[in-house]
Amino acid sequence: GSEGPSRVNVKVCGLTREHDVQLACALGAWAAGFVFAPSPRRVSVQRARELRRVVARGTLAVGVFVDAPRAEVLEAVRDCRRDAVQLHGNETPEECLGYPVPVIKGLALSDEKDLSLLDRYAVSRYLLEPARTLVVNLSRSADDLRAALKQKTRYNCSVAQKDGVAVSFVSGDDADWDR
């Protein structure tokens, strides 16, 4: 078929200053990420609340957590008006359930077999990152990689290949981001 190009949603993460939040929104970011995990870019609940005030309408405010207790995540959702949470640690599929906002699950992939992890989580979206080195068969075309990813999941996949590097973007277009 003659499918048009997939839309790539960009989340600008690690925002700590109002100006950067405003710039990300003005440039069309789909989401603004605020890190609550240990990091040089970590923000306090109070700072996240202040930054939330400048997130433009139409841009999601996402709280990023790594192995945080559920109570901490729920507090940030409530107190900082997060539109979604990104769980980027070793959370089990069960630990990703039951949040009042959509959940983005961050997964580190070490090879193509790790794609089977996508079938285990009932989340709204995935953020896929290579572990140290993502090993994929680069002799495959971008279309072949896209088909392989789509076959493994119910998600639409965009794959770009340049200079021996394959990058995949996986989107959950069937997610209800307005709830």
Side-chain angles (χ1 to χ4, degrees):
S2 64
E3 295 179 11
S6 298
R7 176 189 151 122
V8 174
N9 293 321
V10 175
K11 176 173 69 79
V12 179
C13 203
L15 297 167
T16 61
R17 302 181 307 182
E18 286 89 349
H19 172 76
D20 296 332
V21 173
Q22 292 167 333
L23 182 60
C25 294
L27 292 173
W30 164 75
F34 303 95
V35 177
F36 290 88
S39 163
R41 298 198 133 309
R42 182 180 197 159
V43 293
S44 66
V45 168
Q46 179 175 336
R47 184 65 180 143
R49 211 178 297 126
E50 294 165 358
L51 293 169
R52 176 64 170 103
R53 293 186 190 118
V54 298
V55 175
R57 181 178 298 240
T59 302
L60 297 178
V62 177
V64 179
F65 302 87
V66 176
D67 298 323
R70 180 176 287 273
E72 181 182 322
V73 177
L74 290 171
E75 175 189 9
V77 168
R78 182 190 66 237
D79 293 350
C80 305
R81 294 182 22 245
R82 299 298 92 173
D83 299 313
V85 294
Q86 177 181 318
L87 303 178
H88 208 84
N90 295 309
E91 299 86 4
T92 66
E94 294 75 26
E95 291 171 325
C96 294
L97 298 174
Y99 285 95
V101 295
V103 172
I104 301 166
K105 178 60 182 133
L107 293 171
L109 305 177
S110 58
D111 60 40
E112 288 184 76
K113 292 182 294 213
D114 287 344
L115 292 174
S116 66
L117 291 171
L118 300 178
D119 296 328
R120 296 181 52 215
Y121 288 86
V123 295
S124 297
R125 300 219 175 197
Y126 294 99
L127 188 146
L128 304 179
E129 291 186 346
R132 289 198 168 90
T133 305
L134 178 58
V135 179
V136 295
N137 182 351
L138 294 179
S139 64
R140 297 165 75 175
S141 70
D143 286 341
D144 288 343
L145 285 170
R146 186 179 307 109
L149 284 167
K150 191 161 187 167
Q151 183 180 11
K152 295 272 186 193
T153 72
R154 66 181 193 271
Y155 296 93
N156 292 322
C157 306
S158 301
V159 177
Q161 223 171 325
K162 180 177 168 78
D163 299 329
V165 176
V167 179
S168 65
F169 302 94
V170 180
S171 68
D173 291 337
D174 58 346
D176 179 7
W177 287 94
D178 297 322
R179 66 178 194 152

